[in-house]
Amino acid sequence: MYDAIIVGARVAGSPAAMLLARRGHRVLVLERATFPSDTFSTHFITAPGTALLQRWGALEQLEKRGVPIFDHVLLNVAGNVINTREVFGPTQVCSPRRTDLDVTLRDMAAEAGAEVRMGSSVTEVLFDDAGRATGVRVRDADGNVTEESASVVVGADGRSGIVGRSVNPEPRDEHEIRGSGLYAYFDGFDYVTESAGMLDGAFVFAFPTGPRSACIGTEIDRSHDDAVHADPAAVFYERIAADPDLERRVRAATRNGRWHSGDLQAGWFRHASGQGWALVGDAVCLKDPLLGHGITDSFVGAELLAAAIDEGLSSGNLDAALARYDEALWRHLRPIYEASRDAALSFDKSGDDLFAAFMPAQMLIQEELAMVQAGGPTL
Ligand SMILES: Cc1cc2nc3c(=O)[nH]c(=O)nc-3n(C[C@H](O)[C@H](O)[C@H](O)COP(=O)(O)OP(=O)(O)OC[C@H]3O[C@@H](n4cnc5c(N)ncnc54)[C@H](O)[C@@H]3O)c2cc1C
């Protein structure tokens, strides 16, 4: 019997496992995928998330892997370039590929003492007669099926994960997502730092993932999906043409691999816990990626969840601690969740209007950074 079974080993699951194992708890992590592997995501980690990586000791590991760390972002607002260092002062940010980030966090969870089983797919969440989650049924890579039990089952299994589907939590908020992502990886790309552009009808970005390599793309309104499917390169180059310097540097670089595109359609904030279960990451808070804050939210959630499970197991009142986690998660993530939802209502507008929608959330992100620097999220 484990203290916690965590389903999913990426940016929500591995930090939660690492933080629980560091507190001496017996943790089992079950991950269907094998690493290194990518997910549909564009990698920018905002300053509070980067600060948490530093606190955990992960930023150092990422730097050793060649991930560049910066102290500012260049924002191109309809042709006017803003350096965030001049607005907010220097704040560390980075954009590691998930093949670096998720591997680093998974390895740190294992080093902390969590048992991590890759290629292991949870096929069922088990409940007792009173409706309490008690464990999972899992199939390993060889097809062997076993049952594992724990005091708490954590769904860190993403937006369509089995834990969320099994416990069917009440939504606190649901909304339509208008944005659609289109990006590719490029080698031989000349960059100075992280950059994002609010251009007429499109949000564009170039996020360095390694020495002279970057994830470069655009977010546009979902109504253009047919054009994206027909010719993604044409849509991409048409959008970045409004930033001639970026276009020149992208054309001088070499695309490595295919175009990635898709949309989320719907976002939500769900209740995050119940009898013997908890959700963290996209499983509980799903939103438009415009602000690049899903990874940071997953980290903040992992901090809160580990604190709650630790408190619940120590006090003997796990359900009360998990209920505190549910409220604390909403309190911490709600402002930026609502700002993301409201900023991403439409992409078919001018660069200045996109910037006006984008900026309020940047102020909230600075407040969140101050919270992390002051000791981190609390229950
Ligand atoms: C286009 C796009 C761009 C984005 N860009 C950014 C960005 O720049 N910055 C940012 O911060 N966020 C971004 N996001 C959001 C970010 O990717 C997510 O918030 C983040 O990946 C959520 O992490 P997670 O660990 O909760 O879930 P996931 O990354 O989805 O991981 C869930 C894991 O659970 C595993 N799993 C699922 N089911 C099972 C099962 N039954 N058994 C075992 N394992 C299972 C999966 O294999 C997977 O590895 C973007 C999202 C999209 C769609």
Side-chain angles (χ1 to χ4, degrees):
M1 166 116 174
Y2 294 89
D3 292 327
I5 291 174
I6 298 181
V7 186
R10 292 193 187 268
V11 294
S14 283
M18 175 189 73
L19 294 167
L20 276 170
R22 284 181 180 177
R23 287 169 158 102
H25 297 294
R26 197 160 172 247
V27 183
L28 172 64
V29 182
L30 299 167
E31 170 57 61
R32 183 171 53 198
T34 52
F35 287 0
S37 54
D38 272 315
T39 61
F40 182 52
S41 183
T42 57
H43 317 303
F44 180 70
I45 305 182
T46 54
T50 306
L52 284 171
L53 284 173
Q54 183 161 38
R55 172 179 309 168
W56 298 338
L59 202 59
E60 207 180 309
Q61 302 292 328
L62 290 168
E63 256 185 309
K64 282 188 195 148
R65 284 175 162 268
V67 173
I69 319 284
F70 304 99
D71 72 353
H72 67 289
V73 180
L74 292 177
L75 298 176
N76 180 338
V77 183
N80 298 312
V81 177
I82 298 172
N83 181 333
T84 59
R85 190 170 45 207
E86 286 160 17
V87 183
F88 301 121
T91 49
Q92 283 197 315
V93 287
C94 60
S95 43
R97 235 175 126 153
R98 301 293 286 266
T99 44
D100 287 314
L101 179 64
D102 297 356
V103 170
T104 297
L105 295 171
R106 187 269 319 261
D107 289 353
M108 289 179 74
E111 275 158 28
E115 180 183 337
V116 184
R117 296 188 205 159
M118 302 300 291
S120 296
S121 189
V122 169
T123 55
E124 191 180 341
V125 178
L126 305 172
F127 296 90
D128 66 14
D129 292 344
R132 180 176 199 84
T134 55
V136 297
R137 183 165 294 131
V138 55
R139 192 181 54 237
D140 71 15
D142 298 323
N144 302 312
V145 176
T146 51
E147 288 185 4
E148 303 291 352
S149 58
S151 300
V152 58
V153 175
V154 174
D157 46 353
R159 59 181 182 267
S160 51
I162 192 168
V163 182
R165 291 202 314 276
S166 304
V167 299
N168 198 19
E170 281 291 310
R172 289 180 182 272
D173 182 72
E174 290 176 305
H175 64 280
E176 184 189 3
I177 290 182
R178 292 297 323 161
S180 185
L182 168 64
Y183 65 89
Y185 297 99
F186 288 82
D187 291 332
F189 177 68
D190 277 335
Y191 59 75
V192 179
T193 185
E194 309 280 352
S195 67
M198 276 133 276
L199 310 175
D200 292 349
F203 176 82
V204 302
F205 55 84
F207 298 147
T209 51
R212 286 175 58 79
S213 59
C215 174
I216 306 174
T218 179
E219 189 175 2
I220 55 178
D221 196 272
R222 181 144 61 79
S223 56
H224 304 294
D225 277 359
D226 286 349
V228 169
H229 291 144
D231 192 346
V235 172
F236 170 74
Y237 283 108
E238 185 190 326
R239 301 297 160 152
I240 65 165
D243 183 342
D245 174 56
L246 176 64
E247 183 186 8
R248 179 186 55 74
R249 287 182 291 126
V250 175
R251 287 197 184 276
T254 307
R255 179 158 55 85
N256 181 349
R258 65 180 178 88
W259 289 99
H260 302 260
S261 66
D263 52 42
L264 296 175
Q265 312 250 339
W268 60 61
F269 205 120
R270 297 159 153 179
H271 278 285
S273 68
Q275 289 185 76
W277 61 266
L279 302 176
V280 65
D282 275 8
V284 65
C285 174
L286 183 69
K287 60 208 163 299
D288 189 284
L290 173 69
L291 297 177
H293 210 63
I295 296 170
T296 297
D297 281 348
S298 299
F299 292 171
V300 170
E303 282 270 352
L304 290 169
L305 180 59
I309 294 175
D310 181 52
E311 179 186 293
L313 292 173
S314 315
S315 67
N317 195 344
L318 187 58
D319 287 352
L322 291 178
R324 262 156 61 73
Y325 163 67
D326 181 35
E327 289 307 321
L329 192 73
W330 178 234
R331 189 174 75 245
H332 279 282
L333 303 194
R334 180 183 184 174
I336 294 174
Y337 165 81
E338 290 182 343
S340 292
R341 180 195 61 196
D342 299 344
L345 287 176
S346 159
F347 289 84
D348 279 339
K349 51 190 179 189
S350 72
D352 286 326
D353 285 346
L354 275 175
F355 180 65
F358 176 82
M359 217 41 202
Q362 298 308 311
M363 307 307 293
L364 294 170
I365 289 171
Q366 293 306 310
E367 287 173 21
E368 191 178 40
L369 173 62
M371 176 274 292
V372 170
Q373 288 168 337
T378 49
L379 287 174

